[in-house]
């Protein structure tokens, strides 16, 4: 199994809603990532978890809250988002440092 | 490389020709470089990677060349096919963490039948 599975594929939410994005991998990878991608732009790193501990937070606003319940799962909790947060949110995993990332298909998020 | 602008550079090639996609990177200390392909509505898909102790690596129909002197990376695709049409991103190891992959701005490859 070389897949990273993300749910939901699409999400529309209002600025007062609370929602969560989910990501799962069964490759035994110990690093998991959240990236944000706007249209026609490259992916931008948000968070990195290594061995279930948050190791990198790229100064992401607190309305985005990551969670790593175990080595296979990664969540991104969303609260009070702004319309400019509309983007494709990508989850990825890797064996470790300086290793290729395996990406999921992403969640296309629209904030109204 | 840093992302710039709103418009992706586009490379248009005839089916069957070879394609060369170029990338300038910024971190001279980077040990790891990687190319991804992203089709519309999908996540980035790994193509090939290379470490700084090499200057060339070949895969199936793809070759990556690394020139550390001028901080330049290129992806060569042999006998380009319609299925190769996508956006291609190079990525380099971040300056302050080996967990970071910093993506370049991307190049759109269009394959003409």
């Amino acid at each position: 199994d070389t897949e990273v599975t993300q749910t939901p594929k699409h999400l529309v939410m209002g600025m007062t809603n609370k929602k969560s994005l989910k990501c799962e991998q069964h490759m035994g990878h110990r690093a998991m990532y959240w990236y944000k991608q706007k249209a026609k732009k490259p992916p931008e790193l948000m968070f990195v978890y290594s061995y279930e501990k948050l190791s990198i937070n790229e100064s992401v606003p607190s309305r985005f809250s990551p969670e790593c319940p175990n080595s296979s799962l990664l969540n991104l909790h969303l609260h009070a988002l702004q319309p400019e947060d509309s983007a494709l949110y990508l989850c990825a995993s890797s064996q470790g440092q300086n290793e290729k990332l395996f990406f999921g298909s992403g969640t296309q998020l629209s904030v109204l | 490389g840093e992302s710039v602008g709103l418009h992706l550079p586009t490379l248009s090639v005839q089916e069957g020709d070879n394609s060369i996609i170029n990338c300038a990177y910024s971190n001279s200390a980077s040990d790891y470089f990687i190319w991804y392909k992203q089709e519309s509505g999908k996540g980035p898909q790994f193509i090939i990677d290379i470490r700084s102790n090499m200057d060339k690596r070949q895969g199936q129909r793809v070759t990556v060349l690394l020139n550390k002197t001028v901080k330049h990376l290129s992806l060569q695709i042999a006998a380009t096919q319609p299925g190769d049409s996508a956006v291609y991103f190079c990525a380099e190891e971040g300056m302050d963490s080996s967990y970071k992959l910093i993506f370049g701005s991307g190049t759109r490859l269009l394959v003409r039948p």
Side-chain angles (χ1 to χ4, degrees):
Chain A
D1 183 1
T2 57
E3 272 196 4
V4 175
T5 304
Q6 288 187 245
T7 55
K9 291 196 183 310
H10 302 275
L11 180 62
V12 179
M13 60 187 290
M15 289 188 284
T16 58
N17 292 160
K18 282 186 183 181
K19 296 286 184 183
S20 296
L21 309 185
K22 297 187 182 299
C23 176
E24 191 169 1
Q25 57 89 13
H26 296 288
M27 294 178 277
H29 289 171
R30 303 318 297 250
M32 295 188 76
Y33 308 75
W34 281 114
Y35 277 81
K36 173 182 177 179
Q37 186 177 26
K38 299 283 257 184
K40 298 186 180 180
K41 291 285 199 110
E44 293 179 351
L45 183 64
M46 300 174 72
F47 302 104
V48 180
Y49 273 83
S50 172
Y51 291 88
E52 301 163 45
K53 287 187 169 39
L54 183 64
S55 63
I56 295 176
N57 175 343
E58 290 286 88
S59 303
V60 180
S62 60
R63 57 186 184 268
F64 295 91
S65 176
E67 179 197 19
C68 189
N70 61 54
S71 59
S72 299
L73 294 175
L74 186 67
N75 299 322
L76 186 63
H77 302 299
L78 313 173
H79 174 53
L81 294 195
Q82 303 297 310
E84 58 264 30
D85 296 321
S86 298
L88 180 68
Y89 288 84
L90 293 161
C91 174
S93 69
S94 70
Q95 291 271 23
Q97 300 181 62
N98 278 348
E99 296 288 340
K100 63 186 177 217
L101 269 59
F102 291 78
F103 282 88
S105 293
T107 295
Q108 187 65 56
L109 174 68
S110 295
V111 182
L112 304 179
Chain B
E2 296 291 325
S3 64
V4 291
L6 293 174
H7 302 286
L8 285 171
T10 298
L11 175 66
S12 179
V13 300
Q14 191 73 36
E15 181 180 354
D17 287 351
N18 296 335
S19 303
I20 300 176
I21 301 171
N22 296 304
C23 178
Y25 65 89
S26 54
N27 179 12
S28 56
S30 184
D31 184 48
Y32 183 66
F33 305 87
I34 190 166
W35 281 98
Y36 281 94
K37 170 187 180 183
Q38 189 173 24
E39 297 173 277
S40 182
K42 296 185 179 179
Q45 177 187 357
F46 169 80
I47 301 173
I48 192 166
D49 56 4
I50 188 168
R51 298 192 186 273
S52 60
N53 61 349
M54 302 174 71
D55 52 22
K56 180 179 179 179
R57 191 162 187 228
Q58 287 185 288
Q60 189 177 14
R61 277 201 309 118
V62 294
T63 301
V64 57
L65 298 176
L66 175 62
N67 185 330
K68 295 181 284 292
T69 303
V70 295
K71 294 192 286 187
H72 184 267
L73 195 65
S74 68
L75 177 71
Q76 299 177 0
I77 304 173
T80 313
Q81 302 169 0
D84 295 326
S85 293
V87 177
Y88 289 80
F89 292 102
C90 66
E92 60 177 308
E93 176 189 1
M95 284 190 180
D96 52 350
S97 170
S98 296
Y99 279 110
K100 281 190 185 180
L101 268 186
I102 306 300
F103 284 76
S105 54
T107 297
R108 183 179 301 281
L109 177 65
L110 293 176
V111 182
R112 303 188 304 273

